[in-house]
Amino acid sequence: MQNIKKFESRVRSYSRAFPVTFKLAKDAYLYDEQDNAYLDFLCGAGSINYGHNNEEIKKKVIDYLDSDGIVHGLDLATTAKEEFLKTFSSLILEPRELNYKVQFTGPTGTNAVEAALKLARKVTGRTNIISFTNGFHGVSLGPLAATGNSGHRGGSGVPLTNVTFMPYDGYFGNKSNTIDYVRRFLEDTSSGVDLPAAFIVETIQGEGGINVAKDSWLTSLYELCKEFEILLIVDDIQVGCGRTGSFFSFEQSEITPDMVVLSKSLSGFGLPFSMLLLKPELDIWKPGEHNGTFRGNNLAFVSATETLKKYWSTQKFESEINKKSQLLKSELERIVKKHLSADMEVRGKGLIFGVDCRSPDLAKQLADRAFENRLILERCGSEDQVVKFMPPLTADIETIEAGLRIFEKSIEQLTTNSEIQLEVKKRTEQN
Ligand code: PLP
């Protein structure tokens, strides 16, 4: 940590919240230099869905390296890319009757979002994009303009333009349907909101606080898009690749987005890899127009292909996720009800859940105490008031229970502290 503190830019963030130096990682655990094991429910912010150093995926990567397979090939045709596309098409797209072309973008999520925004503007000839309150789409300038968080926006150095924000599902409470509100702006030619090229939406806002859009809300959004000939981009970077229990997070709602952005766990091994799925008729790019040296990481093609074959060729993995989801949800609800106050909400789906503490201070104390007890939990939401649970999808029931026990123990330790008791009491009374 000494050199990290000395040389690494102040911009570093996770290493401040979890201030130890990690040396090894296996499955659901990270190990520090003293060999202490930490249960990892941060999960690379959704990049480690299949656990750290997943044995079979690692073996394929090692075999590929041993055979002198191409590691870097710009966007040249390679056997690794051929194999990935064949597998992705047969295991993911065809069974879901989805017809998309695949664009390999630069390796970061934000670059894939850039591509989606650029393409939407190019196809429609419109400049405006509609994004939603608390949305997070990355920190390069295009996606940052579509990101709500003022802390991130503050780093831009230039005005962030050509994006209009509309209220996400539940923004005004459960009774109001925010799609009606959006519709009014689109219908009224004097509303001051330019007809957008696209809506960009997360089905569950990961960084924004585990806000879950109802399937019916997504369907209404989809219908609105069709009615006004607006493209629909689903940013599935954090909650895609199985996180919500199905490969794509929107599978339970009856929508077919025009574009889908995938990254984070796409490689299955934590390797940088992003891509944009686009309806064939949108593919009007000129060759090389959205360019980049690291488009299509061949090692990631290899690991992703193995991941798809191992986990997505049958329904078994999905049904296992859904069983574990029920446990995580019911236990979090029990713990919150028993130890915390009634206005603290448990939200989520699949294996992404948040405990909204309504208080950034309380959320910080809980996450810090959990870390002292060797459970890594991230915080999210506009003020970091939500404690986020994201175990690897491959974690077994016992591992998830172990994490829940540490969380409960951390709360018990804290609720003996009078300040926390006061905070919980205050919130209960307010409620
Ligand atoms: N979109 C969503 C929904 C994300 O959660 C993230 C990252 O957390 C991004 C975009 C940006 O991805 P990256 O950090 O790889 O640029």
Side-chain angles (χ1 to χ4, degrees), residues 45 108-111 113 136-138 202 207 235 237-238 263-264:
T108 57
T110 201
N111 190 260
V113 174
F136 182 85
H137 300 289
E202 297 156 271
E207 299 305 295
D235 179 345
I237 287 177
Q238 183 154 159
S263 180
K264 290 203 190 275

Side-chain angles (χ1 to χ4, degrees), residues 385-402:
Q385 77 282 17
V386 180
V387 180
K388 186 173 174 186
F389 293 77
M390 229 180 351
L393 305 180
T394 49
D396 54 21
I397 294 271
E398 291 71 34
T399 307
I400 293 175
E401 283 172 341

Side-chain angles (χ1 to χ4, degrees), residues 137-295:
H137 300 289
V139 298
S140 61
L141 290 176
L144 188 54
T147 290
N149 184 286
S150 57
H152 289 113
R153 292 175 71 86
S156 75
V158 292
L160 296 169
T161 56
N162 297 313
V163 177
T164 305
F165 282 85
M166 287 285 163
Y168 192 69
D169 191 19
Y171 192 67
F172 297 121
N174 281 335
K175 286 195 185 114
S176 100
N177 180 354
T178 62
I179 297 296
D180 291 344
Y181 179 95
V182 180
R183 167 182 291 283
R184 185 76 193 102
F185 279 89
L186 297 180
E187 279 170 351
D188 180 359
T189 50
S190 294
S191 68
V193 173
D194 294 333
L195 191 68
F199 282 93
I200 182 161
V201 69
E202 297 156 271
T203 63
I204 297 180
Q205 295 182 320
E207 299 305 295
I210 321 296
N211 305 313
V212 185
K214 288 188 286 299
D215 289 337
S216 58
W217 186 86
L218 290 170
T219 309
S220 305
L221 176 63
Y222 178 57
E223 279 161 6
L224 195 71
C225 285
K226 282 201 284 191
E227 188 181 330
F228 287 87
E229 296 183 353
I230 299 165
L231 298 172
L232 180 60
I233 304 168
V234 168
D235 179 345
D236 236 4
I237 287 177
Q238 183 154 159
V239 296
C241 301
R243 186 45 66 184
T244 62
S246 47
F247 187 83
F248 295 108
S249 69
F250 53 83
E251 286 179 39
Q252 284 81 32
S253 59
E254 281 160 20
I255 68 170
T256 309
D258 296 288
M259 291 186 241
V260 182
V261 197
L262 291 173
S263 180
K264 290 203 190 275
S265 270
L266 181 59
S267 78
F269 199 63
L271 293 170
F273 183 28
S274 300
M275 68 188 193
L276 175 65
L277 303 178
L278 52 133
K279 285 195 174 158
E281 62 272 25
L282 302 180
D283 194 14
I284 61 163
W285 288 117
K286 295 198 186 96
E289 203 172 13
H290 186 81
N291 218 332
T293 306
F294 293 105
R295 279 172 304 138

